[in-house]
Amino acid sequence: MFTCSSTRRLAFSFAKPSNVSRTSKATISRKYSVDAQNNDIPAKRRPRIIFSGIQPTGIPHLGNYFGALANWVKLQREAEPEDELLFSVVGWHALTLPQDPKALVEARQDMMALMLAVGLDPKRSILFHQDHNQNHVELGWIFSCLTPVGKLRRMTTWKSRLAVSRNANDESEVDDSLLNTGLFTYPVLQAADILAYKATHVPVGDDQQQHLELARDIADIFNRTYKKPSRLFPLPQSMYTPTRRVLSLKDPSAKMSKSAQDPNSRILLTDPPSLISSKIRSAVTDSLPTITYDPQTRPGTSNLLNILAACMDQDVEDVVRERYEGKARNHADLKKEVEEAVVERFRGPREEFEKVRGERAYLEEVARKGAERAKEKSDVVLTEVRRRVGLA
Ligand code: TRP
């Protein structure tokens, strides 16, 4: 684990460092030890700029919640006062797959309401709609002129998203004549989202690690191409969460997903308690009499344990040791406990969402102020970018 703070253990760990980020890490820690010697005070962490984005594609399920929103709230709580946090609803990214315009308007507003409902605080974090800040697309264009097509071809997400959007069984069934340019260059816009604020840290899930790697590559290409007077962009680190993957309640060989046929395979953040209970009760497990954690041989049971641990903000190993190991407790006991934990965890966000969602004026005000602050910060970066590339 990498942390420059000696006083605080971060709940987030950092992704495997690439060569480039290893260099920047070394530079950072050298700087800190020098400061510490000179000032005779404990080494202090350099302020972080944390950026993340979420697509407005409907009410998040349990997997989305623990994979993104819940971590953002935790980060907001644990951040140092000097750290800056920006969280964005990424409407332009949503357009890379076909969207119904009416539904998209709703989904964008709902996602902003959800960010507030789960506990993101617009006074502490900048909450905004990506599509309210044109700087992202301008920087995206400039980056696209520096990004080799070969690098984008190697990304795997566009392949899987294209396959899903075409209802194909397999990625090999879709050919790239069906691929729109936006879906292909999606990671370039994502790099612009991040670098428009010179973000240093980006909380993302597994499937986005490759996009973060690309964002670092693009930052590095820009820095080397336009190097005077100094390297402009930091190489953003990904922060990934210790929460394990949440699986489908009906088919624990697959991830919990928004698009799966059976609505009982997922729990939505807005499901009422009775529905949460019935979905968990009908979750697929196995017929062994006791409860043990073994994701390989007992995926259904282990998934429920992961959900329980996530709701309790504990490590799954601890939860199993304290509650199940060597005890005569069965799946009925486990399901009861998961039911209660999920209902309890989602109660506040669900009630708050129902309330905030109707407060249109408030939502618009939060979005407007957020966009203003986001623009102000990114204007500084874009002015420098334009100057360096020769457009100012
Ligand atoms: N691609 C991300 C996803 O699908 C969303 C996203 C867009 C994002 N821009 C970002 C995440 C910038 C982190 C940083 O989940």
Side-chain angles (χ1 to χ4, degrees):
M1 173 161 338
F2 159 57
T3 158
C4 291
S5 161
S6 52
T7 51
R8 173 194 287 266
R9 192 175 158 270
L10 285 175
F12 289 83
S13 40
F14 290 80
K16 266 197 299 327
S18 68
N19 289 341
V20 247
S21 50
R22 212 175 295 134
T23 330
S24 68
K25 262 202 291 195
T27 321
I28 291 170
S29 44
R30 217 171 23 245
K31 177 176 184 310
Y32 281 99
S33 51
V34 169
D35 282 354
Q37 278 167 11
N38 289 351
N39 303 332
D40 209 19
I41 48 167
K44 198 159 165 38
R45 198 176 60 193
R46 179 183 285 182
R48 300 175 297 178
I49 301 175
I50 299 170
F51 181 97
S52 199
I54 191 163
Q55 293 204 39
T57 47
I59 302 297
H61 58 61
L62 214 138
N64 306 135
Y65 171 72
F66 284 114
L69 295 171
N71 290 308
W72 298 357
V73 176
K74 196 166 174 189
L75 268 171
Q76 181 185 260
R77 197 167 51 234
E78 293 174 354
E80 301 288 347
E82 317 68 60
D83 292 336
E84 283 175 36
L85 302 109
L86 300 107
F87 299 111
S88 180
V89 180
V90 294
W92 279 317
H93 279 109
L95 287 186
T96 59
L97 292 178
Q99 301 288 341
D100 169 45
K102 281 215 189 79
L104 185 58
V105 169
E106 290 286 312
R108 281 169 77 261
Q109 271 166 5
D110 280 357
M111 192 50 82
M112 183 57 78
L114 275 163
M115 295 207 301
L116 296 166
V118 298
L120 291 173
D121 173 4
K123 291 203 196 70
R124 176 66 184 95
S125 302
I126 299 182
L127 310 180
F128 70 108
H129 290 288
Q130 173 200 42
D131 45 285
H132 285 176
N133 184 3
Q134 313 295 316
N135 284 331
H136 294 228
V137 274
E138 182 177 348
L139 188 59
W141 177 259
I142 292 171
F143 283 169
S144 73
C145 298
L146 294 170
T147 311
V149 167
K151 278 193 196 291
L152 294 176
R153 254 200 253 288
R154 285 194 289 278
M155 301 281 121
T156 58
T157 35
W158 63 262
K159 290 177 198 146
S160 51
R161 287 190 194 194
L162 184 61
V164 170
S165 76
R166 298 277 157 180
N167 287 324
N169 295 317
D170 194 288
E171 286 166 21
S172 61
E173 276 180 24
V174 290
D175 74 81
D176 56 17
S177 65
L178 301 171
L179 176 64
N180 74 57
T181 312
L183 185 57
F184 188 57
T185 60
Y186 175 120
V188 180
L189 179 59
Q190 182 165 350
D193 294 341
I194 297 164
L195 294 168
Y197 306 93
K198 292 194 180 173
T200 56
H201 293 81
V202 185
V204 282
D206 275 356
D207 62 329
Q208 297 293 318
Q209 297 300 332
Q210 51 181 312
H211 292 167
L212 246 289
E213 191 93 8
L214 182 78
R216 281 196 290 276
D217 278 356
I218 292 177
D220 188 50
I221 296 173
F222 188 98
N223 288 343
R224 283 187 288 108
T225 311
Y226 303 103
K227 41 180 167 306
K228 298 262 160 56
S230 60
R231 292 157 27 104
L232 182 61
F233 291 114
L235 305 182
Q237 301 263 349
S238 80
M239 312 167 85
Y240 71 99
T241 86
T243 312
R244 318 261 155 115
R245 226 163 234 238
V246 178
L247 306 175
S248 157
L249 297 177
K250 288 299 183 180
D251 169 14
S253 68
K255 263 198 347 181
M256 187 174 282
S257 116
K258 280 179 185 166
S259 51
Q261 283 284 325
D262 186 350
N264 288 324
S265 68
R266 57 184 164 264
I267 293 173
L268 302 185
L269 202 51
T270 51
D271 282 349
S274 57
L275 191 56
I276 295 178
S277 300
S278 74
K279 286 178 179 179
I280 290 172
R281 250 175 266 150
S282 71
V284 171
T285 52
D286 56 39
S287 52
L288 296 180
T290 59
I291 302 299
T292 52
Y293 185 72
D294 186 346
Q296 293 304 319
T297 59
R298 307 191 67 187
T301 305
S302 304
N303 188 39
L304 290 180
L305 286 166
N306 277 330
I307 294 173
L308 180 61
C311 288
M312 298 170 69
D313 283 321
Q314 286 186 17
D315 286 341
V316 68
E317 286 80 8
D318 294 340
V319 169
V320 177
R321 197 174 322 107
E322 281 160 25
R323 292 167 180 263
Y324 290 96
E325 217 169 72
K327 299 204 166 70
R329 303 188 73 196
N330 58 25
H331 281 111
D333 298 317
L334 174 60
K335 285 184 171 179
K336 184 97 204 88
E337 216 163 32
V338 175
E339 234 177 272
E340 284 168 7
V342 176
V343 166
E344 192 47 41
R345 181 73 188 233
F346 282 9
R347 187 191 314 280
R350 186 172 64 92
E351 287 173 1
E352 198 54 29
F353 175 65
E354 294 307 338
K355 208 175 92 208
V356 175
R357 162 184 232 193
E359 298 173 8
R360 284 291 149 95
Y362 173 62
L363 285 175
E364 276 166 26
E365 179 69 1
V366 168
R368 195 184 53 75
K369 286 216 180 101
E372 233 169 59
R373 291 165 71 197
K375 264 193 222 139
E376 201 180 301
K377 290 200 177 298
S378 55
D379 275 349
V380 180
V381 179
L382 264 286
T383 301
E384 178 60 15
V385 167
R386 283 184 211 113
R387 201 187 62 71
R388 289 202 188 195
V389 302
L391 294 176

